């Protein structure tokens, strides 16, 4: 016995010796550092010492490493280390663990022990049978709206009784029907990861993960459409205002959810403050919920002050219940329940919730927006950041000044606003009450209290937070608006989709216009723009907008510089608002310069561009709006007063014309988006233009109704008009535009490739175009990574090597009739499906103007049953005009208008009849193997460097390219057809 005790006494802590200088770091930090290493580096570190060997062989570490780099389809190999090494193509004999017995004497880690416990604990005793979420049977629609909708959660017990899913959604049955179907896995990674269901079932059976992978697939209806037939939306939740959008336009809204014991969803508020219902078909789920603004203990909310993006730091669901929940005072505990098979839980807008699967569960859930939630959803998409934080974290998300300003905008209590001490004291009390467990949301005198949580209005005396749209909207920032602010990446849809959604609601649901108008005022300042419109119409004797016309059409395709468009009687009024004043004034100035040129050279292209009736600048000062006419010539006084100086002016009298615009775009190229805050971006000055309204409809509304012949005719039309555009002469290049050094831009390194003599150089007109591309390359990897899915991460790693080092080499110049290199051309930059107008014609003689239905679709039959045909008539919106490579114009046409159809591309080229690339002399050194000889290479480079997420469109149209191994593979699939058309050169 004494010998044994002596041996025990001699065991020493090996941690300090084994870790060296790293011993000062806690195990948690060391493990976090290891997660950022490559598999090879982890293997090397494991050889350093016995303790490092232990830390480097933990399954949670290898799970994190594997999921960080994994993309596409995943197959679990029995352990995360084996899975990682298999994906690294490590030979089998080296992937097997050592058979040597490990000795852990002298090392212990409370952090590792807790993590190990979470990996192997069971949840049999976690059921909360006495939950305080109300359970209801046979709940009527009227009672739901009156008692629960937008107010508090409820469990409903019989909504799924008649669903086929009640019997068919079991692991065994789904394995039979969908074993080879790949479903999307929960977002443990920024990449899109899928697993075949049969592989996922095997994973569930053998895994011991602390936070197991979770099938959470918002596209299950597309990969397994039969599942949609197994359930129906319960009658209580069928009002969904997102239904007016096409499937590819609306944000993700339905999910198949399958997970084993210990999996679940950590604390969160549903996207866009939508409501949700969740029906459980198999297993048991434990739910915890807090009302809006009540941040759960252990959760931290960060709101980005630049774009309003909301990030939440939260422990895993299991970790919260094990480590934090037991320490909560009774009054701090959440509303709870255990959901049983067949039950449906309703989660109202803005409610925090956390879910833990007590056993293997299968469920379906959908988010929706109805009349009660609509204004909250619009508020969530509004620009700024104060209101986003307040919606989720209550008044703890704002500082004293912000809160004082917000209250001051709504109330005028002189003592409150003039006594900062009161403000500080009450705000401090609010924070400490919350930290001490006292509920700052409760107002015992509020008649609308439910389960102890207030739903009433703000009470100034005790500073109660209120989840009320009038209260929350006080925190909107006056200095920012939808059209000049950075769009938050946390928003559930893009700017274009949001505008189109609101416009479709306005057109399709006239009975809800009061509500839609309120929401649109929150999201995009519609009331302000209505006042602007009234001023412009009155000044130019244009009829005042009717109720149908006072809402912006909102289908602009370019979220960077798309104008605000109104259709009034026979007029189109376009207000330049996005990108700040400098961007807007250059947009109008360039467009006016272009129209002037069309008439000066008498180009027939002018017949297919709407006629300009008036243009000017709208100004807000001294509480009212006024207009100043401006035709693009000279610098208006109002612009001079803003210290907005144009680029070195061209001699043709358009100081904010295309050459000045190119200088502006060059200055901003490559600058991170959060640094592009223009000092005059929020001034009350907006350029505008009025054009004649075309008959017919935009191509976006007609696409599905057109015949193949109509679309072929459109492709020919676009080829013909683009040829005219690209042959237009350029404005005179100011002598002072470039320095002598810039003018010399000799390309000795590429002369042989271009077939240009040693004495030749690229024309100076290409200078800014080339330099702008060079600037855009500097942050290309980070920009693509930020865009993320569906761009493959493996290709992002290779993108800089794929792009040329010198972009002058990309300009594969053709020659004019004198053998000199051609100059760049005018380029529209934005010919998409909503910038092409089509007019009706009939096979018969009857003309019947049928309009779009509520969803924007067209009725293509005449009143006499004759079939309507459509012909392209106009190209719209030249505010994005630039000067550069004409190949740029093919990108939106091929990807958005043609949707990648090679037959339409060929039809376009046959009508275009101009060279995109010079025919290379057979005597020259360039062979087919040289990438600069390929038109497809140039087009692909432009796609990568485009200001918009063109690559997202490519990998959405060609889904098979998400597993591509090289950019050359993508290039060939998308643009390879261009290399076949040298006969047109």
């Amino acid at each position: 016995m004494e010998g044994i005790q002596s041996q025990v006494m001699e065991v020493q802590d090996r941690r300090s010796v084994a870790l060296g200088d790293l011993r000062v770091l806690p195990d948690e930090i060391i493990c976090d550092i290891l997660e950022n290493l490559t598999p090879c580096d982890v293997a090397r570190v494991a050889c350093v010492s016995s303790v490092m060997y232990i830390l480097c062989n933990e399954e949670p570490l290898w799970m994190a490493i594997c999921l960080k780099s994994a993309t596409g389809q995943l197959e679990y190999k029995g352990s995360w280390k084996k899975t990682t090494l298999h994906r690294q193509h490590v030979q089998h004999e080296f992937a097997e663990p050592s058979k040597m017995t490990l000795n852990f004497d002298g090392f212990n880690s409370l952090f590792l022990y807790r993590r190990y416990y979470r990996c192997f604990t069971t949840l049999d005793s976690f059921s909360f049978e006495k939950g305080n979420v109300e359970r209801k049977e046979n709940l009527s629609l009227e009672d739901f709206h009156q008692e629960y909708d937008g107010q508090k959660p409820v469990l409903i017990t019989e909504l799924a009784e008649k669903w086929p899913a009640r019997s068919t959604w079991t692991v065994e049955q789904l394995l039979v029907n969908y074993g080879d179907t790949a479903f999307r896995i929960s977002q443990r990674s920024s990449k899109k990861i899928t697993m075949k269901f049969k592989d996922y079932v095997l994973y569930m059976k053998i895994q011991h993960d602390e936070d197991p992978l979770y099938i959470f697939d918002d596209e299950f209806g597309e990969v397994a459409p039969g599942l949609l037939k197994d359930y129906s939306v319960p009658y209580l939740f069928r009002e969904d205002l997102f239904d007016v959008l096409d499937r590819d336009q609306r944000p993700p809204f339905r999910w198949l959810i399958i997970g084993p014991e210990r999996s679940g969803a950590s604390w969160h508020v549903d996207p866009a403050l939508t409501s949700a219902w969740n029906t459980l078909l198999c297993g048991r789920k434990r739910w915890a919920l807090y009302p809006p603004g009540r941040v759960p203990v252990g959760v931290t909310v960060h709101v980005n002050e630049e774009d309003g993006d909301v990030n939440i730091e939260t422990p895993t669901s299991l970790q919260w219940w094990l480590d934090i929940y037991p320490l909560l005072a009774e009054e701090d505990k959440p509303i709870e329940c255990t959901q049983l098979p067949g039950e449906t839980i309703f989660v109202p807008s803005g409610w925090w919730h956390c879910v833990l699967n007590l056993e293997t569960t299968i469920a379906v859930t959908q988010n929706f927006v109805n009349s009660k939630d609509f204004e909250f959803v619009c508020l969530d998409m509004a620009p700024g950041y104060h209101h986003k934080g307040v919606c989720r974290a209550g008044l703890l998300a704002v500082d004293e000044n912000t809160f004082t300003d917000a209250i001051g905008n709504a109330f005028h209590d002189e003592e409150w606003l003039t006594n900062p001490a009161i403000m500080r004291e009450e705000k401090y009390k609010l924070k400490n009450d919350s930290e001490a467990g006292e509920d700052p949301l409760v107002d015992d005198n509020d008649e609308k209290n439910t389960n102890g949580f207030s739903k009433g209005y703000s009470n100034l005396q005790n500073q109660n937070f209120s989840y009320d749209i009038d209260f929350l909207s006080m925190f909107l920032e006056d200095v920012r608006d939808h059209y000049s602010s950075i769009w938050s990446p946390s928003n559930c849809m893009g700017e274009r989709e949001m505008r189109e959604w609101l416009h479709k609601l306005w057109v399709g649901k006239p009975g809800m216009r009061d509500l839609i108008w309120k929401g649109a005022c929150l999201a995009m300042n519609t009331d302000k723009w209505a006042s602007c419109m009234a001023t412009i119409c009155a000044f130019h004797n244009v009829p005042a907008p009717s109720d149908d016309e006072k809402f912006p059409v909102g289908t602009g395709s370019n979220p960077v510089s798309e104008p605000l468009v109104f259709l009034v009687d026979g007029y189109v009024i376009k207000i330049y608002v996005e990108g700040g004043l400098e961007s807007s004034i250059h947009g109008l100035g360039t467009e006016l310069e272009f129209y002037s040129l069309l008439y000066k050279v008498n180009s027939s292209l002018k017949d297919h561009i709407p006629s300009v009736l008036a243009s000017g600048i709208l100004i807000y000062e001294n509480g009212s709006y006024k207009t100043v006419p401006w035709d693009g010539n000279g610098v208006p006084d109002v612009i001079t007063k803003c210290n907005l100086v144009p680029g070195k002016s061209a001699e043709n009298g358009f100081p904010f014309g295309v050459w000045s615009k190119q200088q502006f775009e060059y200055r901003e190229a490559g600058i991170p988006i959060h640094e592009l805050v223009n000092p005059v971006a929020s001034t009350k000055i907006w350029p505008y233009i009025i054009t004649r309204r075309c008959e017919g409809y935009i191509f976006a509304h007609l696409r599905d109704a057109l015949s193949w012949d109509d679309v072929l005719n459109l492709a020919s039309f676009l080829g013909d008009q683009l040829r005219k555009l690209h042959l237009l002469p350029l404005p005179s290049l100011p002598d002072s535009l470039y320095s002598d050094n810039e003018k010399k831009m000799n390309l000795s390194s590429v002369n042989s490739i271009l077939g240009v003599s040693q004495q030749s150089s690229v024309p100076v007109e290409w200078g800014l175009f080339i330099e702008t591309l060079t600037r855009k390359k500097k942050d290309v990897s980070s920009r693509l990574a930020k865009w993320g899915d569906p761009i493959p991460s493996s290709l992002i790693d290779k993108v800089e090597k794929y792009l040329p080092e010198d972009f002058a080499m990309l300009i594969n110049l053709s020659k004019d009739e004198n053998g000199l290199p051609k100059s760049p051309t005018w380029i529209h930059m934005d010919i998409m499906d909503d910038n092409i107008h089509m007019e009706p014609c009939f096979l018969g003689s009857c003309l019947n103007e049928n309009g779009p239905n509520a969803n924007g679709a067209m009725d293509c039959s005449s009143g006499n049953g004759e079939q309507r045909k459509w012909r392209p008539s106009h190209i719209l919106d030249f505010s994005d005009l630039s000067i550069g490579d004409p190949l740029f114009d093919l990108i939106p046409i091929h990807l958005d208008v043609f949707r990648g159809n090679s037959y339409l591309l060929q039809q376009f080229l046959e009508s275009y009849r101009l060279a995109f690339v010079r025919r290379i002399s057979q005597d020259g050194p360039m062979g087919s193997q040289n990438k600069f000889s390929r038109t497809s290479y140039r087009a692909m480079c432009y796609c990568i460097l485009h200001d918009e997420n063109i690559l997202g469109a490519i990998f959405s149209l060609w889904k098979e390219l998400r597993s591509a191994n090289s950019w050359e593979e993508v290039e060939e699939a998308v643009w390879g057809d261009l290399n076949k058309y040298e006969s047109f050169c």
Side-chain angles (χ1 to χ4, degrees):
M1 178 67 72
E2 290 181 2
I4 295 175
Q5 291 177 343
S6 176
Q7 292 177 8
V8 173
M9 293 288 292
E10 292 175 1
V11 174
Q12 297 180 352
D13 182 6
R14 71 165 86 164
R15 187 181 188 280
S16 59
V17 176
L19 294 181
D21 291 342
L22 292 180
R23 65 183 180 276
V24 299
L25 299 177
D27 294 341
E28 183 176 3
I29 299 298
I30 295 176
C31 289
D32 284 342
I33 293 173
L34 293 175
E35 286 185 10
N36 290 286
L37 302 182
T38 66
C40 290
D41 288 338
V42 172
R44 294 187 182 99
V45 173
C47 300
V48 170
S49 67
S50 58
V51 171
M52 275 301 186
Y53 184 84
I54 295 170
L55 296 176
C56 290
N57 279 280
E58 263 224 309
E59 271 291 275
L61 167 66
W62 285 99
M63 183 181 189
I65 291 174
C66 183
L67 295 179
K68 186 174 295 184
S69 61
T71 186
Q73 199 165 116
L74 183 68
E75 186 177 354
Y76 186 66
K77 294 296 182 180
S79 76
W80 284 109
K81 184 175 182 179
K82 288 182 179 179
T83 303
T84 305
L85 296 179
H86 174 75
R87 295 182 66 86
Q88 295 284 321
H89 307 292
V90 175
Q91 297 181 27
H92 180 71
E93 59 267 26
F94 299 112
E96 286 297 314
S98 172
K99 304 296 183 182
M100 183 176 63
T101 302
L102 298 178
N103 182 359
F104 298 111
D105 292 343
F107 176 73
N108 63 77
S109 169
L110 183 58
F111 169 73
L112 295 185
Y113 171 75
R114 285 175 173 169
R115 194 149 76 174
Y116 179 86
Y117 175 81
R118 290 194 294 268
C119 289
F120 287 89
T121 190
T122 59
L123 306 180
D124 295 338
S125 61
F126 261 59
S127 181
F128 193 79
E129 305 298 344
K130 296 182 180 179
N132 49 9
V133 175
E134 295 181 53
R135 271 185 167 84
K136 290 289 184 179
E137 296 181 8
N138 301 317
L139 185 63
S140 70
L141 187 60
E142 181 181 358
D143 289 342
F144 169 71
H145 287 314
Q146 184 174 350
E147 297 183 35
Y148 303 102
D149 190 11
Q151 300 179 58
K152 60 182 179 180
V154 61
L155 269 172
I156 310 159
T157 58
E158 81 296 332
L159 294 180
E161 288 304 314
K162 296 182 180 179
W163 289 3
R166 287 290 283 124
S167 58
T168 60
W169 284 28
T170 64
V171 171
E172 295 74 20
Q173 192 61 45
L174 292 177
L175 197 56
V176 171
N177 296 333
Y178 302 100
D180 288 319
T181 302
F183 293 106
R184 189 165 185 172
I185 302 302
S186 57
Q187 291 301 305
R188 290 292 307 275
S189 152
S190 60
K191 319 295 192 306
K192 182 176 181 179
I193 301 174
T194 63
M195 289 182 74
K196 287 185 177 181
F197 187 67
K198 62 183 180 183
D199 294 332
Y200 181 73
V201 171
L202 289 175
Y203 161 78
M204 285 199 300
K205 292 179 178 178
I206 61 177
Q207 60 81 30
H208 277 287
D209 294 331
E210 155 185 16
D211 187 17
L213 292 184
Y214 199 15
I215 287 181
F216 197 75
D217 194 337
D218 64 309
E219 297 181 351
F220 74 94
E222 286 70 36
V223 300
L227 292 174
L228 297 178
K229 301 176 183 179
D230 292 339
Y231 78 97
S232 59
V233 177
Y235 64 91
L236 298 176
F237 317 118
R238 286 179 183 165
E239 182 190 16
D240 188 355
L241 298 181
F242 278 141
D243 281 344
V244 298
L245 291 174
D246 296 335
R247 177 66 181 89
D248 61 343
Q249 290 179 311
R250 68 174 296 167
F253 69 103
R254 62 186 177 207
W255 289 265
L256 171 69
I257 308 176
I258 303 175
E261 183 183 26
R262 297 188 310 280
S263 63
S266 54
W267 283 106
H268 66 284
V269 174
D270 279 348
L273 302 180
T274 53
S275 295
W277 58 267
N278 180 304
T279 298
L280 185 62
L281 284 311
C282 175
R284 295 175 301 147
K285 288 178 180 285
R286 184 167 177 179
W287 288 75
L289 305 100
Y290 284 108
R294 176 78 180 271
V295 181
V297 176
V299 175
T300 304
V301 178
H302 297 280
V303 183
N304 189 311
E305 295 191 4
E306 293 161 356
D307 57 20
D309 192 18
V310 177
N311 294 311
I312 296 171
E313 291 183 15
T314 174
T316 66
S317 177
L318 177 64
Q319 190 174 358
W320 188 86
W321 250 289
L322 288 175
D323 298 344
I324 297 177
Y325 178 83
L327 304 179
L328 295 177
E330 197 63 34
E331 60 270 20
D332 287 335
K333 288 186 176 179
I335 297 177
E336 303 178 68
C337 68
T338 297
Q339 184 184 18
L340 304 177
E343 294 185 331
T344 299
I345 188 170
F346 165 70
V347 181
S349 167
W351 277 68
W352 287 90
H353 51 287
C354 176
V355 188
L356 180 64
N357 291 316
L358 307 183
E359 55 201 36
T360 298
T361 62
I362 301 174
V364 63
T365 185
Q366 289 196 186
N367 285 72
F368 63 95
V369 50
N370 61 14
S371 302
K372 286 284 185 70
D373 305 331
F374 176 71
E375 291 179 82
F376 292 95
V377 173
C378 291
L379 176 72
D380 193 66
M381 288 189 283
Y385 61 93
H386 288 143
H387 63 284
K388 288 180 179 286
V390 173
C391 287
R392 290 162 176 81
L395 299 184
L396 300 180
V398 296
D399 57 25
E400 294 177 6
N401 292 333
T402 302
F403 187 79
T404 303
D405 292 342
I407 297 299
N409 288 338
F411 305 98
H412 301 283
D413 187 321
E414 184 175 347
E415 180 183 9
W416 179 270
L417 295 177
T418 57
N419 193 336
I422 296 179
M423 178 68 216
R424 286 195 296 271
E425 179 181 350
E426 292 302 319
K427 186 71 185 297
Y428 179 79
K429 179 178 183 297
L430 172 70
K431 289 187 176 182
N432 282 280
D433 286 350
S434 177
E435 293 168 359
E438 297 180 20
D439 188 355
L441 308 179
V442 175
D443 178 0
D444 293 333
N445 297 321
D446 194 334
E447 296 180 358
K448 296 185 179 181
N449 278 0
T450 56
N451 290 330
F453 297 109
S454 173
K455 185 67 180 175
Y457 281 80
S458 175
N459 184 311
L460 283 178
Q461 183 177 358
N462 57 21
Q463 293 282 307
N464 284 347
F465 167 77
S466 172
Y467 191 69
D468 174 84
I469 196 65
D470 294 328
F471 178 76
L472 296 175
S473 61
M474 291 193 300
F475 295 91
L476 284 168
E477 294 142 80
D478 291 336
V479 296
R480 296 190 178 192
D481 62 57
H482 169 76
Y483 288 94
S484 63
S485 300
I486 299 172
W487 190 251
S488 172
S490 65
N491 284 351
C492 71
M493 63 172 69
E495 293 130 301
R496 179 188 185 187
E497 290 79 12
M498 193 275 289
R499 296 174 203 161
E500 187 161 0
W501 175 49
L502 293 176
H503 183 256
K504 283 188 173 183
L505 287 174
W506 185 260
V507 173
K509 297 184 180 295
M512 297 180 63
R513 283 189 174 174
D514 286 345
L515 178 64
I516 296 167
W517 185 259
K518 290 179 182 178
C521 290
L522 292 171
M524 50 189 287
N525 308 98
T526 311
D527 48 351
K528 178 179 78 175
W529 301 117
S531 299
C532 293
M533 280 295 300
T535 301
I536 293 173
C537 290
F539 184 83
H540 293 284
N541 295 318
V542 172
S546 66
D547 284 344
D548 289 341
E549 297 170 334
K550 72 175 185 177
F551 205 88
V553 295
T555 57
S557 57
N558 189 335
V560 175
S561 59
E562 183 66 28
L564 181 64
V565 179
F566 292 84
L567 303 179
V568 181
D569 197 33
Y571 306 90
V572 176
I573 302 177
K574 186 167 62 174
I575 305 176
Y576 297 76
V577 286
E578 293 198 35
L581 177 58
E582 189 169 8
S583 175
S584 297
I585 200 70
H586 277 108
L588 177 57
T590 298
E591 192 163 358
L592 293 173
E593 179 183 38
F594 174 72
Y595 294 148
S596 174
L597 175 66
L598 285 181
Y599 284 90
K600 181 179 180 180
V601 302
N602 196 29
S603 170
S604 60
L605 178 61
K606 69 179 185 301
D607 299 330
H608 300 285
I609 295 174
S611 302
V612 178
L613 303 177
S615 59
I617 298 174
L618 182 71
I619 309 164
Y620 181 80
E621 60 182 14
N622 299 325
S624 62
Y625 294 94
K626 68 176 185 179
T627 60
V628 176
W630 184 54
D631 62 0
N633 285 279
V635 181
D637 290 341
V638 65
I639 301 299
T640 303
K641 291 177 182 178
C642 291
N643 296 319
L644 188 61
V645 180
K648 299 170 183 177
S649 301
E651 297 174 358
N652 59 7
F654 288 92
F656 292 99
V658 68
W659 289 119
S660 177
K661 182 181 181 183
Q662 283 229 299
Q663 295 176 76
F664 168 69
E665 292 173 347
Y666 166 73
R667 293 198 305 270
E668 297 209 332
I671 301 177
I673 190 169
H674 63 275
E675 296 179 13
L676 291 177
V677 180
N678 194 303
V680 290
S682 299
T683 57
K684 307 298 184 182
I685 303 171
W686 305 277
Y688 68 88
I689 190 171
I690 303 176
T691 60
R692 183 75 64 188
R693 184 174 180 179
C694 306
E695 293 185 4
Y697 303 98
I698 60 174
F699 173 64
H701 289 166
L702 292 168
R703 179 189 293 273
D704 296 335
L706 297 179
S707 69
W708 177 245
D709 287 342
D710 288 337
V711 180
L712 284 174
N713 183 39
L714 170 62
S716 297
F717 169 83
L718 292 176
D720 186 42
Q721 302 311 316
L722 263 291
R723 177 169 50 82
K724 297 173 184 176
L725 172 65
H726 296 160
L727 289 175
L728 281 174
L730 295 178
S732 300
L733 182 68
D735 291 337
S736 58
L737 185 61
Y738 298 105
S739 68
D740 290 338
N741 290 333
E742 289 171 323
K743 285 184 178 181
K744 290 178 181 178
M745 293 180 66
N746 291 323
L747 299 178
S748 57
S749 61
V750 296
N751 280 341
S752 59
I753 293 177
L754 297 176
V756 179
S757 68
Q758 291 295 324
Q759 289 75 30
S760 299
S761 62
V762 170
V764 67
E765 290 89 348
W766 284 105
L768 279 176
F769 179 80
I770 293 172
E771 290 303 310
T772 301
L773 293 178
T774 302
R775 285 195 170 192
K776 289 180 178 180
K777 182 184 176 181
K778 292 180 180 179
D779 70 335
V780 63
S781 296
S782 59
R783 183 160 45 88
L784 300 190
K786 185 174 182 179
W787 278 333
D789 185 63
I791 306 172
S793 58
S794 59
L795 293 185
I796 296 177
D797 296 336
K798 302 174 182 178
V799 69
E800 292 189 20
K801 185 176 181 180
Y802 176 78
L803 294 170
E805 293 185 8
D806 186 349
F807 280 98
M809 301 174 71
L810 204 62
I811 311 303
N812 208 345
L813 298 171
S814 57
K815 296 182 179 181
D816 61 21
E817 61 276 7
N818 298 317
L820 298 175
K822 279 189 176 180
S823 296
T825 69
W826 287 94
I827 47 179
H828 183 286
M829 293 287 289
D830 192 30
I831 300 181
M832 300 178 73
D833 61 3
D834 52 3
N835 281 334
I836 300 169
H837 215 276
M838 305 191 74
E839 62 184 16
C841 59
F842 289 99
L843 296 178
S845 58
C846 179
L847 180 66
N848 177 45
E849 281 295 326
N850 297 315
N853 61 25
N855 294 321
M858 304 305 303
D859 179 2
C860 291
S861 61
S862 69
N864 296 330
E866 299 179 66
Q867 191 66 28
R868 168 184 292 184
K869 290 180 65 69
W870 296 88
R871 62 188 175 209
S873 59
H874 292 83
I875 296 176
L876 310 178
D877 190 13
F878 284 77
S879 59
D880 288 326
L881 276 167
S882 186
I883 290 176
D885 191 336
L887 195 57
F888 249 98
D889 271 337
L890 198 53
I891 293 174
I893 289 175
H894 184 47
L895 299 181
D896 186 71
V897 181
F898 297 165
R899 302 284 172 89
N901 188 296
S902 60
Y903 293 104
L904 296 176
L905 177 61
Q906 180 178 2
Q907 189 79 7
F908 170 90
L909 291 169
E910 289 176 353
S911 178
Y912 182 69
R913 302 196 308 276
L914 292 179
F916 280 121
V917 60
R918 178 173 63 84
R919 184 190 296 278
I920 303 302
S921 170
Q922 294 181 355
D923 299 330
M926 180 185 285
S928 60
Q929 74 280 5
N930 193 306
K931 61 185 180 183
F932 294 103
S933 69
R934 304 191 305 261
T935 312
S936 59
Y937 175 68
R938 204 158 96 238
M940 194 69 236
C941 289
Y942 292 153
C943 289
I944 293 172
L945 294 171
H946 207 284
D947 290 332
E948 301 306 315
N949 188 5
I950 298 297
L951 297 180
I954 287 176
F955 291 107
S956 296
L957 285 171
W958 287 272
K959 291 183 172 60
E960 67 276 8
L961 292 179
R962 298 179 186 182
S963 58
N965 295 315
S966 68
W967 284 107
E968 286 78 8
E969 187 177 342
V970 180
E971 170 196 329
E972 175 61 27
V974 180
W975 299 109
D977 287 336
L978 286 180
N979 300 326
K980 304 174 185 177
Y981 298 126
E982 291 187 3
S983 59
F984 296 106
C985 301

